[in-house]
Amino acid sequence: MEHGKKYEFGDITWYPSKHTAVYRYDSRVPMDTPGDGINDFLGFQSNEILISKSVRASEKLFESTKSVNGECTLADTTLWYKKQIGNGLKNNGQIFTGYPVVGRQGKMQTSGSCLYSPKTRIDASCAWDPRIKGLFFYESTAIFTATKFGDFIKDVKKLRDLKPENFCGIDHYNGFLIRYIKASKAYLGQSEDSIVVDFNYYRADEASTPRLNQDVMEEVEQMAFFKYGARPHWAKNRNLAFLKVQSKYLNFNMFIAVKKQLDPENMLSSEWSDEILFGKEGVGSDGCALEGLCICSEDRHCSPSKGYFCKPGLVYSEARVCRYSPSSSNL
């Protein structure tokens, strides 16, 4: 909280498996301060297609062989490289030579250079471009009331301490990105000062394929949205994050009234958008919990044929997660 209030654009990236937190100190400076820096965030840079494919192939190998050590090696390599290049900050628009990095607001608070890559570079692309079979991942974003955020972190630490390496999959992507935001008067804005937490994690090519340590990600997800009542980011998250979302916004009914007034025939709505806006849980079909379409209540909602069964959370016991438990298949 102190960091967020002191630094207007500051944030913290927490890597649980490494017991490491990276604080970003980001402030305004006088207009005549010299510097031509940019924020070319690593995740939004154009990458050689071969590299993106290689990383994805490594992820799939570690997933299929259930190699936690492999995931941790990938996380170590990613964190080392981020540190060397300042996570994409560039002092002169070309390379990172060290801190501080000074630049114009529009180039320091935005990033996305892969959108402007030369069309002649047919060997490079955005890492998540579906045409190249590159990275494929989930992104969960929870918005916490400031008074509840500390207890959430303590619970995640308890879960981490049981087996730190189970968080390497999250740390390989970007750990937990934590930001402070001020209250907003928008209908679906935050009515009080809040903390935003983003975390990404591996997504399988096929919806029916379970993931290594997916029970950890699911427990963190349910802990955030149900135990601590975090509000979901409207443009991110899996479906289950939106369950009972209308009860989390004081002005939700006012928003719906305005929506009906401006769009009486629901031209701008769809079955999918209604599922999100009204927090409808999907039908409990086989494997529905693997993609976050439901919270498992039966083993068939996971993948019992592949050794994944519906189990209680390890720290948040009310959570129901798909945990790899091959011995259960013999019962």
Side-chain angles (χ1 to χ4, degrees):
M1 291 296 293
E2 293 177 2
H3 181 74
K5 290 179 178 179
K6 185 176 181 180
Y7 298 97
E8 187 176 2
F9 307 108
D11 58 42
I12 300 171
T13 304
W14 179 37
Y15 300 99
S17 72
K18 307 306 172 190
H19 295 78
T20 299
V22 179
Y23 287 70
R24 183 163 71 107
Y25 303 90
D26 201 335
S27 304
R28 297 177 187 268
V29 294
M31 289 289 289
D32 58 358
T33 305
D36 191 28
I38 64 172
N39 177 15
D40 190 12
F41 173 60
L42 176 62
F44 297 158
Q45 290 181 16
S46 180
N47 292 280
E48 291 187 12
I49 292 175
L50 181 60
I51 293 177
S52 297
K53 284 186 173 182
S54 297
V55 172
R56 181 62 177 178
S58 297
E59 289 180 328
K60 293 172 73 172
L61 174 63
F62 299 149
E63 287 281 329
S64 63
T65 59
K66 294 184 169 44
S67 174
V68 175
N69 290 336
E71 283 198 338
C72 289
T73 299
L74 200 57
D76 287 339
T77 303
T78 302
L79 266 63
W80 175 85
Y81 184 61
K82 284 182 176 181
K83 186 175 182 180
Q84 303 310 305
I85 65 167
N87 203 24
L89 289 170
K90 297 177 179 180
N91 298 75
N92 55 8
Q94 298 297 321
I95 60 174
F96 173 70
T97 59
Y99 297 104
V101 180
V102 180
R104 298 281 180 175
Q105 172 83 351
K107 293 184 178 181
M108 293 295 290
Q109 299 304 328
T110 63
S111 58
S113 62
C114 70
L115 294 175
Y116 309 104
S117 301
K119 293 183 178 180
T120 54
R121 286 290 308 275
I122 60 174
D123 63 326
S125 175
C126 296
W128 60 86
D129 191 329
R131 295 173 298 179
I132 67 169
K133 297 183 180 179
L135 301 186
F136 191 43
F137 53 88
Y138 294 110
E139 181 167 9
S140 292
T141 302
I143 306 171
F144 293 85
T145 299
T147 55
K148 295 183 179 180
F149 172 70
D151 289 334
F152 166 73
I153 289 294
K154 290 175 183 176
D155 269 357
V156 175
K157 283 185 175 181
K158 290 178 184 177
L159 185 60
R160 183 272 313 273
D161 290 344
L162 295 176
K163 199 171 184 181
E165 57 268 32
N166 285 351
F167 279 83
C168 286
I170 290 178
D171 289 351
H172 152 54
Y173 275 93
N174 199 36
F176 289 87
L177 178 61
I178 303 168
R179 304 187 306 278
Y180 170 86
I181 59 173
K182 295 182 179 180
S184 166
K185 293 183 179 180
Y187 287 128
L188 298 184
Q190 311 313 315
S191 58
E192 56 187 307
D193 291 359
S194 303
I195 307 296
V196 183
V197 179
D198 293 88
F199 61 100
N200 301 346
Y201 43 102
Y202 176 89
R203 184 177 186 180
D205 293 340
E206 299 295 332
S208 60
T209 302
R211 307 179 312 281
L212 178 63
N213 295 323
Q214 79 168 59
D215 61 305
V216 173
M217 287 66 162
E218 290 175 349
E219 185 167 352
V220 171
E221 185 180 38
Q222 293 179 41
M223 194 184 289
F225 294 113
F226 307 130
K227 182 175 182 179
Y228 292 106
R231 299 171 293 280
H233 187 297
W234 291 102
K236 303 175 184 179
N237 291 300
R238 309 192 310 166
N239 284 38
L240 70 87
F242 296 92
L243 295 179
K244 299 180 181 180
V245 68
Q246 59 269 34
S247 65
K248 297 180 180 181
Y249 289 92
L250 296 175
N251 296 323
F252 184 86
N253 291 334
M254 293 175 64
F255 170 80
I256 296 300
V258 172
K259 175 180 177 299
K260 289 181 178 179
Q261 180 183 357
L262 298 176
D263 184 22
E265 298 182 4
N266 286 325
M267 292 292 291
L268 302 178
S269 296
S270 67
E271 181 180 352
W272 174 82
S273 65
D274 285 345
E275 287 179 359
I276 299 303
L277 187 59
F278 297 102
K280 299 177 181 178
E281 185 170 9
V283 177
S285 57
D286 291 355
C288 61
L290 299 178
E291 284 277 296
L293 298 176
C294 72
I295 298 174
C296 73
S297 57
E298 303 176 43
D299 289 336
R300 68 183 183 87
H301 296 156
C302 298
S303 183
S305 64
K306 296 179 180 178
Y308 286 77
F309 297 84
C310 189
K311 301 288 186 180
L314 298 176
V315 172
Y316 176 38
S317 59
E318 293 183 26
R320 291 297 178 269
V321 300
C322 295
R323 181 174 300 122
Y324 182 62
S325 181
S327 59
S328 298
S329 61
N330 298 322
L331 298 179

